Amino acid sequence: MKKIILLLLIPFALTAQSFYGNNPFAHTYSIVAYDSTSGEIGVAVQSHWFSVGTVVCWGEAGVGVVATQSFVNVSFGPRGLELLKEGLTPGEAVDKLLSDDEGREYRQLAILDAKGNVAAFTGKNCIQPAGHIVGKGYSVQANLMSNDKIWGAMSKAFENAKGPLAERMVAALEAAENAGGDIRGKQSAALLVFSGKPTGKIWLDKLVDLRVDDHPEPIKEIKRLLKVHRAYEHMNNGDLAVEKNDMETAMQEYSAAMDMFPDNLEMKYWTAVTLANNDRIEDALKLFKEVFDKDKNWKTLTPRLVPSGLLKVTDENLKLIMNL
């Protein structure tokens, strides 16, 4: 009977703690980082928790990024960004957020501003192993890990990685997992990158926004999605080059995208459409045929593009395409 009473009291004991409230238990490892070359700022995370990116990762171009985790105070995300906007340093923002939080010793928090200044905090009551490392232009933090080597492995991997900021942050996540990762396993991941200077167009300022909410290999999946993202960047750059009538650059960009994903029919199809619109019908026909042979639906779609002006070819050339 005593055991039954104790079990019934446990949920009440947890919910009675006001610092838990309705906030999730996002025990996890993450990184906030700055790229001194591009000016980009970003945050990335992985956890054995569903849709971890929706609670841990926050950011705004020209302002900064926040990772709030462990027994999460979700408000630290938007409030942290507001404090940066008010002119507080990351260190001051961290202190301000924790000052009136009775659950502060259960929190783990990192804040980085648009200039690469960064501060982090790991409460003494975070589930061990837990810790963080603040480096030049970045911070890595982790709690509820399989061992105490995780955040050190992340720091080393990030500092030694090459390439764009997003890829370097993913390298840090991979290093954490390779070192043992979350003791509970893995489930979700997220990756956000913002421009360092705002353009006034928020849809342009968020450069990378990827989430894997529930997956057996979330880091591998986020890495794959980042590769897809880069391929479509090439496609978009190709479209821009076409608008400027720079077909040489356009084809370089389209080719780069197709080299990354040679089996992606949509990339081939729209490249073929662009070629046809620029009177390179022979080159277009080769790609159209490859696509049509694998999926006839693209052939069915093709004449529907003409009334909308997306495919601008003569009747003769349209017949050539449809006879493939």
Side-chain angles (χ1 to χ4, degrees):
M1 176 63 73
K2 289 182 178 179
K3 289 183 178 179
I4 294 174
I5 293 173
L6 179 60
L7 288 171
L8 290 172
L9 287 175
I10 286 175
F12 174 79
L14 286 176
T15 56
Q17 301 288 339
S18 61
F19 54 81
Y20 289 135
N22 294 319
N23 292 326
F25 299 172
H27 307 290
T28 185
Y29 54 81
S30 68
I31 178 171
V32 295
Y34 166 76
D35 189 304
S36 59
T37 301
S38 67
E40 295 174 354
I41 52 176
V43 53
V45 64
Q46 194 283 148
S47 177
H48 188 277
W49 188 264
F50 174 71
S51 193
V52 68
T54 58
V55 293
V56 170
C57 300
W58 301 83
E60 186 174 337
V63 178
V65 290
V66 178
T68 173
Q69 57 195 53
S70 187
F71 292 91
V72 183
N73 187 328
V74 182
S75 76
F76 283 0
R79 289 168 61 202
L81 295 175
E82 285 302 315
L83 291 173
L84 292 180
K85 288 180 182 180
E86 291 174 10
L88 275 67
T89 67
E92 291 169 341
V94 167
D95 291 343
K96 176 68 174 176
L97 291 171
L98 295 170
S99 64
D100 60 353
D101 179 16
E102 64 181 81
R104 56 188 169 274
E105 295 302 335
Y106 292 84
R107 313 299 189 200
Q108 194 167 49
L109 174 66
I111 299 180
L112 177 138
D113 68 17
K115 296 179 180 178
N117 302 307
V118 63
F121 172 82
T122 299
K124 64 183 179 182
N125 291 335
C126 289
I127 300 176
Q128 300 296 315
H132 66 266
I133 294 175
V134 172
K136 185 177 180 181
Y138 75 92
S139 175
V140 291
Q141 43 283 327
N143 64 88
L144 193 63
M145 295 294 104
S146 61
N147 61 72
D148 62 2
K149 310 298 182 186
I150 306 303
W151 50 99
M154 295 178 72
S155 173
K156 183 178 180 181
F158 180 74
E159 290 187 354
N160 292 334
K162 306 296 182 184
L165 180 63
E167 279 77 2
R168 293 168 63 206
M169 290 196 297
V170 170
L173 298 184
E174 288 182 304
E177 200 59 38
N178 291 338
D182 187 326
I183 196 170
R184 302 163 300 168
K186 49 203 170 184
Q187 184 172 2
S188 65
L191 175 64
L192 287 173
V193 178
F194 300 87
S195 57
K197 295 182 179 180
T199 64
K201 301 176 180 178
I202 59 174
W203 57 92
L204 296 178
D205 292 341
K206 187 183 289 186
L207 306 176
V208 180
D209 185 0
L210 301 174
R211 274 185 21 212
V212 176
D213 287 340
D214 188 23
H215 196 279
E217 295 289 347
I219 298 176
K220 289 182 180 179
E221 180 63 6
I222 208 90
K223 188 175 183 179
R224 185 191 70 81
L225 291 175
L226 181 57
K227 184 179 178 183
V228 175
H229 174 86
R230 296 302 188 201
Y232 276 91
E233 282 185 333
H234 284 299
M235 291 296 292
N236 291 334
N237 290 338
D239 291 343
L240 290 173
V242 169
E243 290 180 11
K244 298 177 182 178
N245 201 32
D246 183 358
M247 290 304 297
E248 182 177 354
T249 299
M251 289 313 302
Q252 288 174 353
E253 293 288 351
Y254 290 145
S255 295
M258 288 187 290
D259 286 345
M260 294 175 72
F261 288 93
D263 295 327
N264 187 301
L265 296 183
E266 181 149 18
M267 289 180 179
K268 289 184 179 181
Y269 180 78
W270 292 112
T271 301
V273 169
T274 301
L275 288 168
N277 286 342
N278 285 272
D279 298 322
R280 295 180 57 177
I281 191 64
E282 293 300 324
D283 293 327
L285 289 174
K286 293 176 183 177
L287 286 181
F288 276 128
K289 187 175 190 317
E290 287 184 38
V291 174
F292 295 168
D293 284 349
K294 292 183 179 179
D295 188 343
K296 297 297 184 183
N297 284 334
W298 291 103
K299 188 172 185 178
T300 302
L301 169 64
T302 300
R304 300 178 188 176
L305 301 182
V306 176
S308 63
L310 292 176
L311 181 60
K312 302 174 183 178
V313 293
T314 64
D315 291 342
E316 181 181 354
N317 284 340
L318 180 60
K319 185 178 292 185
L320 289 174
I321 294 170
M322 296 308 295
N323 285 337
L324 290 172

